[in-house]
Amino acid sequence: MIETKFRWKKLIRDVLNKIAGLKGIIGDSFSENDVIIQTPPRPELGDLAFPMFPYAKKLRASPLEIAELVSIELNKNKDSLLSAEVVNEGPYINIKLPKSNFSKYTLHKILNEKTKFGTSQTLAGQKIMLEFSCPNTNKPLHLGHLRNDAIGESVSNILKANGAEVRKVNLINDRGIHICKSMLAYQKFGKGSDPESEGVKGDHFVGKFYVMFDKWARENIDAENRARELLLRWERGDPEITELWRRMNNWAVSGINETYRRTGVSFDKVYYESETYGRGKEEVLKGLERKIFYRDEESTIWVDLKEIDLDKKVLLRKDGTSLYLTQDVGTAVIRHEDWPFDRLIYVVASEQKYHFIVLFYVLKKLGFEWAENLYHLSYGMVNLPEGKMKSREGTVVDADNLLDQLIAIATEEIKSRGREKEVKNLKQTSEKIAMGALNYYLLQVSPSKDMIFIPEESISFTGNTGPYLQYMGARISSMLRKFEDRKDKFKDGAFKPELLTVKEEWEIVKLLAMYPEETEKAAEELNPSIITNYLYNLSRVFSRYYHDNPVLHNKDPNLVVTRITLVKAVLQVLKNAFILVGIPFLENM
RNA sequence: GUGCCCAUAGCUCAGUAGGAUAGAGCAUUAGAUUGCGGAUCUAAAGGUCGGAGGUUCGAAUCCUCUUGGGCACACCA
């Protein structure tokens, strides 16, 4: 569709210029960028629409007159129209594309390009690093991480589909005051227990102690001070503390990795804050020497942000220990040395906007010219119908727990439909349905917006959901299997695009042809919801179509083969798009 | 207090480099299986696009003001 649209833009541009010439209007000529192209509100009106309002002033004529003139001009050169039909609809020029040719071209293109259909080279040669997830090692993953991971994985796939070389990176926040808190609680209450002895997943085990600290600190005023002491000992490399830290981190990280495995999240490189904060300190001290930062009388190191109309910010505490910001400076520098990226995208919640403004500024002041290529892909908060998730009130939705529930419900659904035999592997299928539901639910909202997570809705499998899309895929697969079984019955059939006369068939072909534009737009905007919306539109039209129009039950083998070709193309595009938004494809469900 | 973001149907969301009658799902109501899988499909009902000005031939979309909500402005991450 991109090529078609481009050709039409140029054609309309030429006609507008010709009209300007005939009217003896001198001045700037029209360029193809002046030509506005749209889709008519109702398909009966045509396939492409060009409003004529914008040219009225320059051509000193009413949009109605212009439309009249343009349609006359276009119809003069029939052969340049690629057999399309021009309709003059009031102030609009509408184009009806030649259905047979366009259908044939589109379907063949899809079936030839297969998994390549909808990929582009718009980002070819670009090295893009994508940071996401970034868990703390003091608690298990929660719903917020699931949204983060879903966006991270999806954006990574979308960028790859547009030719970029993508490197997915994680940053484990395994140091800092919060980690010391759970360590302190473990020292106090742990009694040498471990996840195995308690039969608890490692990250949940560690998380329990973080909660304990919180409770304990409310009754003991020196708790916070003791945590700070512990941080100092840790940063000085105290062997006993280091040993405890290592043990607890291993528990947490292995538990978190288990959740990643379940959700299909992976990274090309995992960074650990404990390994990068030192570099951050070095860079800050270098900046201090170069007088980019300053030290106060207590020897705390600060950066002044008045150049960007902000206050000032601590980079190193007076005891020399580092902060979140310090560490992020070091991580960025190391990353660029490891893999000199053209862009680094941080997928991080919107509440940290300020942090990234400061981080990017500090890196720029330190003289790293690549600081210009850092981007914070900020996504909105996930809230519950009752309001914010609050750890103190125990309303935080735990990732593992949610997954378990989703899978259990999927299993129930399969059983209640009596499809245990067909799905072969009940457990695996349930997991895939659960992931399809979850990823679709999390990605259908534009990343920048806050969203409300309604548990009942996220696990609903009817309507606008991931499983609805998976169901389409399964139905089509089933249909294609039946076609293969009876193939000799249709062996005389041939693909004849002129047989695609049903209204929905034409709608489907146009939607299929639009898919490459959607993936490009999704990459440009770093927005997976463009793909989820597209998938739903395609599936909905297709459902309506095959509900009312038999594909295999036709006497004419040509019609069967022709419709099967369309169906195959739909399936191919569904599969291609599924990959971009983390919806597992299922032959059976 | 200052800055940033958001506000579209009862609920959850689409639609924003301005364009023809603002769309879905859920929920509600009424229908469709002698058909390739009913996790489906059809239809009804549901809206002064938070409010007021402005720019424009034309505004959910752009500008100003205003109301309501969220986030940030930590020597937490």
Side-chain angles (χ1 to χ4, degrees):
Chain A
M1 197 66 110
I2 298 174
E3 312 82 41
T4 311
K5 283 185 179 172
F6 192 64
R7 276 204 295 262
W8 275 100
K9 275 192 172 188
K10 288 203 287 194
L11 204 55
I12 301 280
R13 170 204 64 191
D14 292 344
V15 170
L16 288 171
N17 281 327
K18 190 173 174 194
I19 292 170
L22 289 172
K23 286 183 154 262
I25 291 161
I26 351 169
D28 302 336
S29 56
F30 294 100
S31 83
E32 61 264 25
N33 291 331
D34 296 324
V35 178
I36 292 162
I37 188 161
Q38 311 177 312
T39 310
R42 278 165 291 131
E44 311 87 82
L45 292 171
D47 305 312
L48 301 175
F50 300 88
M52 292 293 124
F53 305 98
Y55 323 116
K57 205 168 267 176
K58 211 187 258 184
L59 293 178
R60 288 181 225 128
S62 76
L64 283 165
E65 277 175 75
I66 297 168
E68 183 75 32
L69 290 171
V70 169
S71 79
I72 291 169
E73 279 304 319
L74 284 172
N75 282 313
K76 271 187 193 164
N77 306 301
K78 277 274 184 202
D79 45 326
S80 66
L81 301 184
L82 314 142
S83 61
E85 191 188 334
V86 177
V87 194
N88 180 0
E89 288 278 354
Y92 292 86
I93 291 288
N94 287 352
I95 304 299
K96 289 185 177 170
L97 297 171
K99 291 187 181 161
S100 291
N101 284 346
F102 192 81
S103 302
K104 186 176 161 188
Y105 171 78
T106 302
L107 299 182
H108 280 173
K109 191 173 159 74
I110 294 166
L111 297 174
N112 284 330
E113 295 184 4
K114 297 195 171 70
T115 57
K116 294 272 182 295
F117 181 75
T119 63
S120 84
Q121 292 302 310
T122 47
L123 298 174
Q126 267 208 53
K127 296 172 81 169
I128 304 178
M129 190 180 271
L130 193 66
E131 178 199 274
F132 62 98
S133 205
C134 303
N136 292 331
T137 54
N138 63 342
K139 54 188 168 206
L141 301 182
H142 57 74
L143 185 51
H145 291 107
L146 292 177
R147 186 177 192 194
N148 184 310
D149 292 345
I151 293 171
E153 282 289 338
S154 177
V155 167
S156 138
N157 288 329
I158 289 166
L159 293 173
K160 281 181 197 167
N162 284 279
E165 190 186 340
V166 177
R167 191 169 168 86
K168 294 185 285 178
V169 300
N170 196 354
L171 176 66
I172 311 275
N173 294 303
D174 63 346
R175 61 155 291 286
I177 195 84
H178 56 297
I179 304 298
C180 293
K181 288 177 180 175
S182 34
M183 281 161 62
L184 203 56
Y186 180 77
Q187 280 182 324
K188 238 183 131 44
F189 310 109
K191 297 175 194 142
S193 63
D194 61 45
E196 217 164 294
S197 72
E198 301 293 306
V200 181
K201 202 160 156 279
D203 47 345
H204 291 263
F205 179 82
V206 174
K208 210 174 62 184
F209 289 102
Y210 188 71
V211 174
M212 278 183 184
F213 174 89
D214 213 53
K215 216 183 262 172
W216 178 61
R218 261 176 271 163
E219 288 146 23
N220 293 272
I221 348 142
D222 68 326
E224 297 282 343
N225 282 330
R226 289 186 56 186
R228 252 191 301 277
E229 265 168 47
L230 204 60
L231 178 65
L232 195 57
R233 279 176 73 190
W234 180 86
E235 275 202 31
R236 285 179 181 158
D238 183 311
E240 188 196 330
I241 301 305
T242 306
E243 171 52 29
L244 174 64
W245 170 78
R246 204 178 301 279
R247 272 196 351 186
M248 293 188 71
N249 266 316
N250 283 341
W251 292 335
V253 171
S254 68
I256 289 166
N257 280 337
E258 173 61 17
T259 308
Y260 286 150
R261 195 196 54 72
R262 297 178 80 188
T263 51
V265 170
S266 66
F267 300 94
D268 299 305
K269 168 89 184 175
V270 177
Y271 290 90
Y272 293 86
E273 206 183 297
S274 59
E275 292 168 1
T276 61
Y277 82 100
R279 181 59 182 273
K281 272 190 187 179
E282 280 173 34
E283 296 298 335
V284 168
L285 292 173
K286 275 193 232 165
L288 182 69
E289 264 171 49
R290 288 164 50 204
K291 307 252 188 318
I292 296 167
F293 311 131
Y294 68 94
R295 200 197 289 264
D296 69 12
E297 49 297 339
E298 289 195 300
S299 85
T300 301
I301 299 176
W302 297 82
V303 57
D304 195 324
L305 303 169
K306 66 168 172 277
E307 260 181 53
I308 49 172
D309 289 323
L310 297 172
D311 206 1
K312 51 198 178 171
K313 187 99 180 166
V314 171
L315 292 174
L316 277 179
R317 295 190 186 97
K318 65 183 174 205
D319 63 5
T321 58
S322 45
L323 292 100
Y324 180 46
L325 187 62
T326 326
Q327 163 281 127
D328 248 356
V329 168
T331 311
V333 173
I334 290 173
R335 280 175 176 165
H336 192 266
E337 285 170 1
D338 282 357
W339 199 73
F341 48 76
D342 298 305
R343 271 159 96 188
L344 167 53
I345 299 169
Y346 292 88
V347 180
V348 179
S350 59
E351 56 187 356
Q352 294 192 34
K353 276 184 174 174
Y354 181 82
H355 168 74
F356 283 100
I357 290 169
V358 177
L359 173 67
F360 298 166
Y361 174 76
V362 166
L363 285 164
K364 202 173 140 194
K365 288 306 273 186
L366 283 169
F368 298 105
E369 72 285 352
W370 46 262
E372 299 288 341
N373 308 324
L374 306 176
Y375 179 75
H376 174 206
L377 173 50
S378 147
Y379 65 89
M381 313 299 298
V382 185
N383 297 314
L384 300 173
E386 311 81 53
K388 277 197 72 157
M389 289 195 280
K390 288 183 183 134
S391 49
R392 284 204 177 165
E393 289 162 28
T395 54
V396 176
V397 177
D398 175 73
D400 289 313
N401 208 321
L402 178 66
L403 287 169
D404 290 341
Q405 284 182 44
L406 287 170
I407 293 166
I409 289 165
T411 303
E412 274 316 300
E413 292 287 328
I414 294 167
K415 284 184 177 167
S416 73
R417 290 177 167 81
R419 294 197 56 82
E420 279 172 271
K421 282 212 181 79
E422 283 88 344
V423 302
K424 292 182 185 92
N425 190 332
L426 181 63
K427 185 165 171 278
Q428 222 175 65
T429 307
S430 303
E431 285 168 357
K432 287 181 175 177
I433 292 173
M435 281 318 298
L438 182 63
N439 281 333
Y440 186 83
Y441 190 80
L442 294 172
L443 293 177
Q444 64 175 325
V445 182
S446 302
S448 64
K449 291 199 176 176
D450 287 352
M451 66 180 285
I452 297 179
F453 184 88
I454 303 172
E456 313 86 68
E457 221 166 85
S458 75
I459 56 185
S460 155
F461 298 157
T462 58
N464 187 356
T465 65
Y468 169 81
L469 304 175
Q470 289 174 313
Y471 178 70
M472 279 310 110
R475 285 293 299 275
I476 294 173
S477 304
S478 165
M479 196 188 289
L480 292 177
R481 280 193 298 272
K482 290 209 161 68
F483 174 75
E484 290 300 321
D485 288 347
R486 307 173 200 169
K487 215 170 181 177
D488 40 324
K489 208 175 141 191
F490 311 116
K491 65 178 185 301
D492 299 328
F495 173 71
K496 294 199 184 301
E498 64 275 15
L499 296 178
L500 295 172
T501 54
V502 178
K503 195 177 82 199
E504 280 82 6
E505 288 171 334
W506 180 232
E507 270 183 64
I508 290 167
V509 167
K510 283 194 284 181
L511 270 172
L512 293 174
M514 291 274 281
Y515 178 62
E517 288 163 65
E518 303 287 336
T519 60
E520 280 185 34
K521 195 174 168 210
E524 209 173 295
E525 297 180 12
L526 303 173
N527 183 357
S529 77
I530 289 170
I531 304 296
T532 55
N533 280 324
Y534 172 82
L535 271 169
Y536 183 67
N537 285 334
L538 178 62
S539 297
R540 211 162 47 93
V541 179
F542 185 78
S543 304
R544 199 192 314 146
Y545 167 65
Y546 89 119
H547 192 268
D548 301 332
N549 300 280
V551 174
L552 298 174
H553 300 275
N554 282 301
K555 284 196 182 118
D556 179 4
N558 290 332
L559 186 58
V560 173
V561 170
T562 303
R563 286 188 171 173
I564 279 290
T565 307
L566 176 72
V567 167
K568 279 182 178 168
V570 170
L571 184 66
Q572 185 66 60
V573 173
L574 284 182
K575 281 183 172 176
N576 293 1
F578 275 12
I579 291 170
L580 301 187
V581 288
I583 299 174
F585 172 74
L586 291 165
E587 291 277 349
N588 280 297
M589 64 187 282

